[in-house]
Amino acid sequence: MYGSPLNLRCRYRIATELLFCRFSTAPPSTDVSYEQLKQLLAGQKSVLIDVREPWELREYGFIPGSINIPLGQVNSALQLGPEEFREKYGCEMPQQTDNIVFTCLAGVRAKEAFDATIPLGYKDVQYYGGGWQDWVKNEEK
């Protein structure tokens, strides 16, 4: 019914190896800490997108080097052509292979932007769960 004992051992070994591989390789972290974000920005290895409304950036401040794309525009912005994106947001459009980190005031909208970006084909996307509030708290230390 199941074949020879050798086949059973092979199937068991393959299944065990696949199971081990699946659980032994940790998925990349999607939530970055303040320290991780500082390193990414210092190494110019990420595109930081602040998804708050423009008035929030004017009123509370923003992380230097971030691009402002309000949450309601993230999906459509990342589907624009490069020229149109540059014209609208004043910078180069992130590529699907770029590391993108989303931020907001406290992390909620950043996570929503993260969730909206994955189906668009962006592969290396993260969010700063602490947001602007955590940034300010850490910068004041």
Side-chain angles (χ1 to χ4, degrees):
M1 177 177 180
Y2 293 105
S4 72
L6 181 58
N7 278 344
L8 285 175
R9 279 193 301 249
C10 287
R11 286 184 192 165
Y12 175 77
R13 186 180 55 117
I14 291 168
T16 303
E17 287 174 7
L18 289 173
L19 189 62
F20 178 76
C21 288
R22 182 180 301 163
F23 291 108
S24 67
T25 56
S29 175
T30 55
D31 183 4
V32 299
S33 67
Y34 168 80
E35 292 80 13
Q36 291 168 320
L37 183 58
K38 286 287 277 194
Q39 288 176 350
L40 290 169
L41 294 175
Q44 298 180 346
K45 296 180 181 183
S46 294
V47 178
L48 181 63
I49 299 177
D50 193 321
V51 297
R52 293 179 290 160
E53 295 297 322
W55 70 265
E56 292 178 271
L57 277 66
R58 288 190 301 271
E59 187 168 324
Y60 301 114
F62 56 90
I63 298 172
S66 63
I67 302 168
N68 180 222
I69 304 175
L71 179 60
Q73 297 175 26
V74 167
N75 193 297
S76 59
L78 293 176
Q79 295 183 66
L80 294 173
E83 269 308 307
E84 195 175 358
F85 185 94
R86 187 180 309 111
E87 205 171 283
K88 185 165 185 166
Y89 298 103
C91 59
E92 294 297 314
M93 181 173 174
Q95 302 300 307
Q96 288 188 331
T97 55
D98 288 344
N99 174 249
I100 300 174
V101 179
F102 290 103
T103 188
C104 62
L105 185 64
V108 175
R109 288 175 283 178
K111 174 69 167 86
E112 288 181 42
F114 166 84
D115 290 338
T117 307
I118 300 299
L120 298 177
Y122 286 83
K123 309 276 185 253
D124 191 8
V125 183
Q126 299 173 294
Y127 65 97
Y128 177 32
W132 173 249
Q133 292 174 337
D134 185 62
W135 179 269
V136 170
K137 180 182 75 175
N138 282 286
E139 287 290 295
E140 291 175 347
K141 288 181 182 177

Short mmCIF file of all heavy atoms in Angstrom, two decimals, residues 1-11:
data_model
loop_
_atom_site.label_atom_id
_atom_site.label_comp_id
_atom_site.label_asym_id
_atom_site.label_seq_id
_atom_site.Cartn_x
_atom_site.Cartn_y
_atom_site.Cartn_z
N MET A 1 0.83 -1.20 0.00
CA MET A 1 0.00 0.00 0.00
C MET A 1 0.87 1.26 0.00
O MET A 1 0.64 2.16 -0.76
CB MET A 1 -0.94 -0.05 1.19
CG MET A 1 -1.79 1.16 1.35
SD MET A 1 -2.88 0.88 2.75
CE MET A 1 -3.76 2.35 2.73
N TYR A 2 1.85 1.35 0.90
CA TYR A 2 2.70 2.53 0.98
C TYR A 2 4.04 2.34 0.29
O TYR A 2 4.86 3.22 0.28
CB TYR A 2 2.97 2.91 2.45
CG TYR A 2 1.75 3.39 3.16
CD1 TYR A 2 1.11 2.58 4.08
CD2 TYR A 2 1.23 4.64 2.89
CE1 TYR A 2 -0.02 3.00 4.74
CE2 TYR A 2 0.09 5.08 3.55
CZ TYR A 2 -0.52 4.26 4.47
OH TYR A 2 -1.64 4.69 5.11
N GLY A 3 4.28 1.19 -0.25
CA GLY A 3 5.56 0.94 -0.89
C GLY A 3 6.52 0.27 0.07
O GLY A 3 6.17 -0.13 1.17
N SER A 4 7.73 0.17 -0.36
CA SER A 4 8.74 -0.53 0.44
C SER A 4 9.13 0.31 1.65
O SER A 4 8.93 1.53 1.67
CB SER A 4 9.96 -0.80 -0.42
OG SER A 4 10.65 0.40 -0.66
N PRO A 5 9.73 -0.35 2.67
CA PRO A 5 10.22 0.40 3.84
C PRO A 5 11.22 1.49 3.45
O PRO A 5 11.29 2.54 4.07
CB PRO A 5 10.88 -0.67 4.71
CG PRO A 5 10.22 -1.94 4.30
CD PRO A 5 9.87 -1.78 2.85
N LEU A 6 11.99 1.25 2.41
CA LEU A 6 12.95 2.25 1.95
C LEU A 6 12.23 3.51 1.49
O LEU A 6 12.62 4.62 1.83
CB LEU A 6 13.82 1.68 0.82
CG LEU A 6 14.89 2.62 0.26
CD1 LEU A 6 15.83 3.06 1.39
CD2 LEU A 6 15.68 1.94 -0.84
N ASN A 7 11.14 3.33 0.72
CA ASN A 7 10.36 4.49 0.27
C ASN A 7 9.77 5.26 1.45
O ASN A 7 9.73 6.48 1.45
CB ASN A 7 9.23 4.05 -0.66
CG ASN A 7 9.69 3.86 -2.08
OD1 ASN A 7 10.76 4.32 -2.44
ND2 ASN A 7 8.89 3.17 -2.87
N LEU A 8 9.30 4.52 2.45
CA LEU A 8 8.74 5.18 3.63
C LEU A 8 9.81 5.99 4.35
O LEU A 8 9.56 7.12 4.77
CB LEU A 8 8.13 4.15 4.59
CG LEU A 8 6.79 3.57 4.17
CD1 LEU A 8 6.37 2.48 5.13
CD2 LEU A 8 5.75 4.65 4.11
N ARG A 9 11.02 5.41 4.48
CA ARG A 9 12.10 6.15 5.15
C ARG A 9 12.48 7.40 4.37
O ARG A 9 12.71 8.45 4.93
CB ARG A 9 13.32 5.24 5.34
CG ARG A 9 13.20 4.32 6.53
CD ARG A 9 14.54 3.70 6.83
NE ARG A 9 15.04 2.95 5.69
CZ ARG A 9 15.14 1.64 5.65
NH1 ARG A 9 14.82 0.92 6.69
NH2 ARG A 9 15.59 1.03 4.58
N CYS A 10 12.53 7.27 3.04
CA CYS A 10 12.86 8.43 2.21
C CYS A 10 11.80 9.51 2.34
O CYS A 10 12.11 10.69 2.48
CB CYS A 10 13.01 8.02 0.75
SG CYS A 10 14.52 7.10 0.43
N ARG A 11 10.55 9.10 2.28
CA ARG A 11 9.46 10.08 2.43
C ARG A 11 9.52 10.76 3.79
O ARG A 11 9.34 11.97 3.90
CB ARG A 11 8.11 9.41 2.23
CG ARG A 11 7.82 9.07 0.80
CD ARG A 11 6.44 8.51 0.68
NE ARG A 11 6.27 7.92 -0.64
CZ ARG A 11 5.30 7.11 -0.95
NH1 ARG A 11 4.41 6.78 -0.06
NH2 ARG A 11 5.21 6.63 -2.16
#
